[in-house]
Amino acid sequence: MVSSVLCRCVASSPPDAAAATSSASSAASVDPCGGAVCGGPDHQLRLWSLFQTLDVNRDGGLCVNDLAVGLRRLGLHRTEGELRKIVQAGDKDLDGQLDFEEFVHYLQDHEKKLRLVFKSLDKKNDGRIDAQEIMQSLRDLGVKISEQQAEKILKRIRTGHFWGPVTYMDKNGTMTIDWNEWRDYHLLHPVENIPEIILYWKHSTIFDVGENLTVPDEFTVEERQTGMWWRHLVAGGGAGAVSRTCTAPLDRLKVLMQVHASRSNSMCIVGGFTQMIREGGTKSLWRGNGINVLKIAPESAIKFMAYEQIKRLVGSDQETLRIHERLVAGSLAGAIAQSSIYPMEVLKTRMALRKTGQYSGMLDCARKILAREGMAAFYKGYVPNMLGIIPYAGIDLAVYETLKNAWLQRYAVNSADPGVFVLLACGTMSSTCGQLASYPLALVRTRMQAQASIEGAPEVTMSSLFRQILRTEGAFGLYRGLAPNFMKVIPAVSISYVVYENLKITLGVQSR
């Protein structure tokens, strides 16, 4: 096993530690079993010993073949795909192998992930994992197993190919796993997506800021098989409906400023609210909200179904996709969903811009648009809307993952659970950055959707509208309405999170 190799504390020193060899070696002879990994006092010498054992061809680098042969000698069997993931995860210079420095960095990062999972599984906080704790942890993931199955997980686990030897995580037969047994068993096993961490950090169905460009959430096999996924979607949809309704006045003000504000008409927030109330009363602040809420259900359902189909094509058989695979699958799913419900987007804009008495309702609005402008009017602004999906989803994902990893590296000591306020802060910042990147496209889309509702407005294309805005208003003109748009982010995220958690309890969804 790995631990037996790591205990060779007096092995030959790494290339950059020759000066420390004698002192480290003498210390090792005094205290050979008190370190973090195996027992030796000099961590670098222990890792160098393991590196030498795995470097079977003695070329100073670990390739896939080295790892396969070296690990087999240690009684560990990994598939070629797993070994490639190890090399790819640590190969910073992209030369196809791990040198000693890359090997050390990989093990340090990997061990920290393993410790987080161990701490989260150790519900009793006694330094050991037993069958009951495994059952509880899997239950939190939506997987129910019996106590006999949990004991089997503790007792013996077959690794690698079906013809490989049986290896034991519980090496001393106590029916519990301590940290050393856990680490030794998993240390050289590629874990790219730890389910427990992912469950804590899921955010796409929780944070609804009124935009339609977020990447869908992912669900475990058990959640899909038991139908728990639709309860999550219903909870997310309900949270979005409440959140959008509460922030609808700010959303309508944003649309008005996007369409009507200019250098000659510098509409401000207070002036905009005053104008809306004077024209149609307090009730007019919610114009367009009905269709905005109504389109949540079909869009969420279409996006989820499309995402599940697409991720089978762009990803592997992993439970959770990597970030670039999520971006591709999420963007394609978003494009399909937006194409399906886009006429509702146009209706939402026209209803938000309507004058008192102009339309009697959504159906009346749709009939009049169809009669006067034809079917093509329901797809005005479609191109900039599609182009806005990738920058929004990409930056939202990238910022969220960056903030998540930064928090895990700095503050995740005993648990991977970041807590509510950290989640809210990360979700707010990532959504804000995503909106900032795609906002000019969103503004052009809204103006194109509203063209026929503005008297005397000429028919313009996306490129000509961009040039016109830049020529007459400058770059600032592409960000009209940004202030109320950002003002609604924090309340929208907070409201949707609170409602989402309460709806999950009502629907009987296991809390994350």
Side-chain angles (χ1 to χ4, degrees), residues 237 240-242 244-245 288-298 344 348:
V242 175
R244 294 185 188 193
T245 300
N289 181 61
I291 190 73
N292 196 31
V293 170
L294 194 62
K295 65 187 177 69
I296 292 176
M344 300 177 78
K348 178 242 179 183

Side-chain angles (χ1 to χ4, degrees), residues 396-418:
D396 181 35
L397 269 181
V399 171
Y400 192 81
E401 289 294 316
T402 300
L403 294 173
K404 175 186 80 173
N405 290 331
W407 187 91
L408 287 171
Q409 289 295 324
R410 179 167 296 186
Y411 300 110
V413 177
N414 296 318
S415 174
D417 186 355

Side-chain angles (χ1 to χ4, degrees), residues 22-36:
S22 59
S23 60
S25 300
S26 61
S29 64
V30 176
D31 184 14
C33 250

Side-chain angles (χ1 to χ4, degrees), residues 156-167 185:
R156 101 184 205 161
I157 298 179
R158 183 181 293 275
T159 61
H161 302 287
F162 68 89
W163 61 80
V166 174
T167 56
Y185 186 83

Side-chain angles (χ1 to χ4, degrees), residues 30 94 155 160-161 173 239 276 325 353 360 425 495 502:
V30 176
L94 303 178
K155 197 169 174 183
H161 302 287
M276 286 190 288
E325 293 171 338
L353 292 171
S360 60
I495 292 168
N502 282 279

Side-chain angles (χ1 to χ4, degrees), residues 182-227:
W182 173 267
R183 180 205 54 230
D184 291 347
Y185 186 83
H186 292 288
L187 189 60
L188 285 170
H189 193 285
V191 181
E192 291 183 350
N193 296 295
I194 300 174
E196 189 268 340
I197 292 178
I198 292 170
L199 281 176
Y200 280 128
W201 286 92
K202 277 184 178 180
H203 80 298
S204 60
T205 58
I206 298 174
F207 306 130
D208 189 306
V209 293
E211 300 297 326
N212 310 293
L213 311 178
T214 53
V215 174
D217 217 336
E218 294 184 43
F219 299 100
T220 65
V221 174
E222 185 73 13
E223 285 174 325
R224 292 195 294 270
Q225 290 176 345
T226 60

Side-chain angles (χ1 to χ4, degrees), residues 286-296 343-352 354 358-370 378:
W286 276 266
R287 283 179 185 170
N289 181 61
I291 190 73
N292 196 31
V293 170
L294 194 62
K295 65 187 177 69
I296 292 176
M344 300 177 78
E345 290 281 351
V346 176
L347 282 176
K348 178 242 179 183
T349 299
R350 295 293 183 90
M351 293 291 286
R354 79 183 190 271
Q358 186 175 359
Y359 305 119
S360 60
M362 287 181 283
L363 292 178
D364 182 55
C365 177
R367 281 196 299 267
K368 288 182 177 178
I369 292 174
L370 184 62
F378 290 104

